[in-house]
């Protein structure tokens, strides 16, 4: 399947939001398709499978909408849109290995079809292609910013993995992890969008902060989805954080605030063998108000993101960036 195939019905709304950058997204797809072409048998199959992995293209869209809200899209933005999408796809391919996930975007994961070894190498292939592509801009700024962001992203995942099983993980540590593993890349997209539109430093800083708060809101909502989402709607394996004892905001909050008996019950569910932690923990998290707490945190990060957009004059693209922050919290996939 081509990376250019039409999006499924459940993405129509996102597609409508992206109308002002529709042509730019087509340009990004073209770059993705040309860069990732391989005639080597086997490799071409793995790359073709990524066509089924096509998501909302949120990261290139963020970069392009930021650029348009700042005054205009240049050809460098198209190249950078393809770069951030390749990096994001690489992280998902690797993440599914770490999570032993079997479904991503409604289709079997690369690891479930080809195994972990091919998945790691495919992730590396995407990642190195992304760096090679960003180097074609002949501008050290892009490589430096992308290098720093991906470095932090890996550090965030490493941090998360070393905290596995730690039932005393604090909210600050959780924020440090999601700031690195998710918000750093969304911030990087907005930074590149604004920088390559020639914005002054203060505007670039505000839009980077927009991307960072949006990323935090997005990841908290994603972690809520892991606990209370429906796999058929989300299109990916859920409950993996709980099975792997990767504590996220609702559980951290419960273990810090609920009465001792409830905390003891929750700790014993988390450490028990077997794979039904989600079903057992959901009522505990609901009754303690932990899910509501996490949702309200996500909402305040979304509001903080919107406030940072005030540095720009009103425009349809600025309004869409604000809507994206709101949708990051209220979604089922
Ligand atoms: C999804 O988190 C994963 C990430 C946001 C980052 C994953 C990063 C790596 C695995 C490091 C590898 C990096 C490179 C550059 C190749 P999640 O598991 O909470 O979300 P999910 O529900 O979508 O799986
Ligand atoms: Mg995962």
């Amino acid at each position: 399947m081509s990376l250019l195939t039409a999006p499924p019905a459940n993405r129509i709304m996102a597609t409508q939001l992206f109308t002002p950058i529709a042509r730019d997204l087509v340009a990004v797809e073209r770059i993705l398709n040309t860069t990732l072409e391989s005639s080597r048998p086997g490799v071409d199959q793995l790359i073709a499978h990524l066509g089924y992995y096509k998501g909302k293209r949120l990261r290139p869209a963020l970069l392009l909408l930021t650029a348009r809200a700042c005054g205009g899209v240049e050809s460098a933005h198209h190249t950078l849109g393809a770069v951030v999408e390749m990096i994001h796809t690489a992280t998902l391919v690797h993440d599914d290995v770490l999570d032993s996930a079997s479904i991503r975007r409604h289709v079997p994961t690369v690891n479930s079809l080809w195994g972990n070894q091919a998945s790691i190498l495919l992730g590396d292939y995407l990642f190195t292609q992304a760096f090679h592509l960003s180097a074609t801009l002949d501008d050290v700024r892009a490589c430096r910013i992308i290098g720093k962001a991906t470095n932090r992203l890996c550090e965030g995942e490493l941090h998360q993995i070393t905290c596995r099983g730690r039932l005393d993980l604090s909210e600050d540590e959780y924020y440090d992890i999601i700031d690195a593993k998710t918000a750093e890349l969304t911030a990087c997209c907005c930074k590149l969008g604004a920088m390559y539109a020639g914005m002054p430093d203060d505007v670039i800083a505000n839009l980077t902060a927009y991307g960072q708060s949006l990323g935090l809101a997005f990841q908290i909502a994603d972690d809520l989805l892991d606990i209370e989402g429906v796999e058929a709607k989300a299109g990916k394996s859920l409950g993996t954080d709980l099975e792997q004892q990767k504590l996220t905001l609702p559980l951290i909050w419960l273990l810090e605030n609920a009465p001792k008996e409830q905390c003891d019950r929750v700790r014993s569910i988390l450490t028990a063998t077997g794979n039904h932690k989600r079903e057992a923990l959901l009522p505990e998290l609901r009754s303690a108000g932990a899910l509501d707490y996490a949702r309200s945190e996500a909402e305040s990060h979304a509001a903080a993101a919107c406030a940072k957009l005030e540095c720009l004059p009103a425009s349809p693209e600025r309004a869409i960036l604000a809507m994206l922050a709101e949708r990051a919290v209220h979604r089922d996939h």
Side-chain angles (χ1 to χ4, degrees):
M1 190 174 87
S2 156
L3 290 174
L4 280 168
T5 45
N10 66 348
R11 308 245 167 82
I12 297 263
M13 280 307 288
T15 319
Q16 281 168 350
L17 277 183
F18 297 163
T19 305
I21 47 157
R23 283 179 178 202
D24 300 310
L25 283 171
V26 172
V28 168
E29 291 303 309
R30 219 174 274 129
I31 299 172
L32 280 171
N33 286 332
T34 344
T35 311
L36 293 176
E37 231 165 36
S38 170
S39 55
R40 304 224 152 61
V43 180
D44 57 355
Q45 274 182 37
L46 283 160
I47 292 182
H49 189 73
L50 297 177
Y52 296 104
Y53 261 34
K54 184 177 169 179
K56 298 179 278 294
R57 299 300 197 226
L58 175 65
R59 284 140 192 95
L62 269 179
L63 192 150
L64 295 165
L65 284 165
T66 307
R68 285 234 173 267
C70 289
V73 168
E74 306 289 330
S75 70
H77 288 114
H78 296 151
T79 305
L80 291 166
V83 167
V84 294
E85 185 61 21
M86 275 193 259
I87 290 171
H88 174 59
T89 310
T91 69
L92 295 183
V93 171
H94 280 185
D95 184 64
D96 286 335
V97 173
L98 297 175
D99 289 349
S100 310
S102 51
I103 304 281
R104 166 78 64 190
R105 293 184 177 149
H106 299 275
V107 296
T109 53
V110 178
N111 46 302
S112 73
L113 292 175
W114 284 275
N116 287 350
Q117 294 180 349
S119 297
I120 298 300
L121 290 168
L122 180 64
D124 291 346
Y125 180 76
L126 287 164
F127 187 49
T128 49
Q129 287 278 22
F131 266 95
H132 186 248
L133 184 59
S134 65
T136 62
L137 289 179
D138 276 335
D139 180 348
V140 78
R141 289 177 307 169
C143 289
R144 193 184 293 140
I145 291 167
I146 293 161
K148 179 178 167 280
T150 46
N151 176 262
R152 223 177 144 232
L153 212 150
C154 292
E155 194 183 20
E157 275 292 311
L158 278 169
H159 187 185
Q160 182 170 53
I161 233 172
T162 57
C163 290
R164 245 182 87 174
R166 266 200 42 216
L167 305 191
D168 64 342
L169 193 75
S170 71
E171 233 176 87
D172 282 353
E173 285 173 294
Y174 167 78
Y175 269 115
D176 191 38
I177 290 170
I178 67 166
D179 189 43
K181 78 170 198 174
T182 306
E184 184 73 28
L185 188 58
T186 47
C188 169
C189 294
C190 300
K191 185 177 202 163
L192 292 170
M195 181 179 278
Y196 280 83
M199 289 290 105
D201 287 350
D202 59 326
V203 176
I204 297 173
N206 273 305
L207 294 171
T208 306
Y210 157 84
Q212 185 195 17
S213 293
L214 172 95
L216 295 176
F218 186 90
Q219 187 60 48
I220 296 171
D222 198 68
D223 292 341
L224 273 163
L225 208 58
D226 192 74
I227 295 170
E228 59 174 354
V230 176
E231 279 197 353
K233 273 193 189 155
K236 62 183 178 183
S237 304
L238 297 177
T240 57
D241 296 334
L242 304 175
E243 296 312 338
Q244 306 211 2
Q245 295 181 8
K246 289 179 180 168
L247 260 56
T248 58
L249 194 53
L251 265 175
I252 295 169
W253 186 85
L254 184 150
L255 291 172
E256 275 174 6
N257 294 284
K260 187 180 173 309
E261 315 83 74
Q262 188 173 25
C263 292
D264 290 344
R265 234 178 11 248
V266 163
R267 275 194 204 93
S268 61
I269 298 170
L270 272 171
T271 49
T273 49
N275 280 343
H276 300 286
K277 297 185 177 55
R278 202 164 99 107
E279 292 81 346
L281 288 169
L282 197 50
E284 300 285 356
L285 290 159
R286 276 214 177 102
S287 67
L291 302 175
D292 292 338
Y293 169 74
R295 216 174 325 276
S296 75
E297 282 286 291
E299 275 160 5
S300 24
H301 289 295
C306 291
K308 296 290 177 188
L309 294 172
E310 298 289 320
C311 67
L312 292 174
S315 67
E317 290 81 9
R318 189 185 89 167
I320 294 169
L321 288 170
M323 270 184 255
L324 283 179
E326 201 239 319
R327 283 174 62 110
V329 183
H330 303 284
R331 64 199 169 93
D332 56 11
H333 63 282

